Amino acid sequence: MALLEVDAVHSYYGNIHALKGVSLTVDAGEVVTLIGANGAGKSSTLRTISGLLRPREGRVRFAGADLADRKPHQIVADGIVHVPEGRGIFARLTVDENLSIGAFTRTDVDGVAADREAVFATFPRLRERRQQAGGTLSGGEQQMLAIGRGLMARPKVLLLDEPSMGLAPILVEEIFAIIERLNRERGTTILLVEQNARAALDVAHRGYVLETGGIALSGAAGDLLHDPRVRAAYLGV
């Protein structure tokens, strides 16, 4: 049984049909990526999984349990943590305070302290800036803070939405190296939405290609990298 399962989901924004029967699975320990053009439904898929967008049809299941009646904060407590597009940090709060908000569902004080140290070990620049307001960080540092805040919830599945958006190429490489390391060293299960299809497929085990709200292709990441349709549409080859 897959850890996370999206089964024939249809989601809407008012009368706009955003997801049209999307089905996908994520197994424990995997990095799975969703690639596609703007408006294809990638972010809508993550929003549906995290409870921010309710499907009109279909089911989202986590560890076999249907999430239909779960509210977003309950889904976080269940172990699905969403790092949104645009980072969504609290600009006036310090790095430390942003990380504390990531642990809002937890009561294990010692565990929270240990996880904060683990975040600082993963992102040393955040330790240097722990008393600095989040809004004064660089774009790359804000993305590190957003991921670190997500890790403070001890996710069983981490949903990452466009982590490379707006970053310089050298920082994009750093962010993807961190994603790969989180999966390899911590075993973090990750569902990754990303415009940079090549970078995403390089770190993923499997991938899905979304087109106009539906799954057009799926398969092993290496196979998708060499698929002529993917290469022409998303890799510039």
Side-chain angles (χ1 to χ4, degrees):
M1 181 179 64
L3 179 60
L4 177 65
E5 181 183 7
V6 177
D7 182 15
V9 160
H10 292 257
S11 294
Y12 291 74
Y13 296 98
N15 292 323
I16 298 173
H17 197 173
L19 300 182
K20 304 171 183 176
V22 168
S23 295
L24 60 88
T25 60
V26 181
D27 293 330
E30 277 194 307
V31 178
V32 175
T33 188
L34 306 180
I35 62 174
N38 285 331
K42 305 185 302 298
S43 294
S44 296
T45 300
L46 297 194
R47 288 173 60 84
T48 300
I49 293 168
S50 62
L52 299 173
L53 185 63
R54 292 295 183 183
R56 293 190 191 176
E57 299 178 43
R59 291 286 182 267
V60 179
R61 300 182 183 90
F62 181 58
D66 194 330
L67 299 182
D69 296 326
R70 304 292 283 170
K71 296 179 180 178
H73 71 278
Q74 294 172 321
I75 291 173
V76 172
D78 290 338
I80 298 176
V81 178
H82 187 173
V83 178
E85 179 182 351
R87 297 145 199 161
I89 64 165
F90 295 90
R92 295 186 179 183
L93 301 185
T94 67
V95 167
D96 256 342
E97 289 167 337
N98 270 275
L99 295 178
S100 293
I101 288 173
F104 80 98
T105 62
R106 298 174 57 183
T107 58
D108 55 321
V109 176
D110 291 343
V112 169
D115 285 348
R116 188 186 304 270
E117 286 303 309
V119 167
F120 287 146
T122 302
F123 305 106
R125 273 180 278 181
L126 296 184
R127 185 192 299 276
E128 298 168 6
R129 292 158 174 75
R130 62 187 302 169
Q131 297 306 318
Q132 190 170 324
T136 66
L137 302 179
S138 70
E141 290 164 350
Q142 288 186 14
Q143 186 61 65
M144 293 173 191
L145 179 56
I147 295 173
R149 183 185 58 192
L151 293 173
M152 289 298 295
R154 284 197 177 172
K156 296 174 184 173
V157 177
L158 188 63
L159 310 179
L160 295 179
D161 195 352
E162 302 285 6
S164 76
M165 179 178 287
L167 300 184
I170 191 168
L171 289 175
V172 171
E173 291 182 13
E174 185 174 357
I175 290 296
F176 277 100
I178 289 166
I179 291 169
E180 187 174 29
R181 193 164 72 245
L182 287 173
N183 176 254
R184 184 180 67 250
E185 297 178 0
R186 294 194 185 191
T188 305
T189 303
I190 298 171
L191 180 57
L192 168 67
V193 160
E194 181 55 53
Q195 284 282 349
N196 188 333
R198 184 180 298 277
L201 291 169
D202 278 340
V203 301
H205 299 100
R206 292 189 298 114
Y208 293 85
V209 179
L210 271 71
E211 293 181 359
T212 60
I215 302 292
L217 292 169
S218 65
D223 292 341
L224 291 176
L225 270 172
H226 295 95
D227 188 295
R229 293 163 293 181
V230 174
R231 290 167 66 84
Y234 304 109
L235 303 182
V237 178

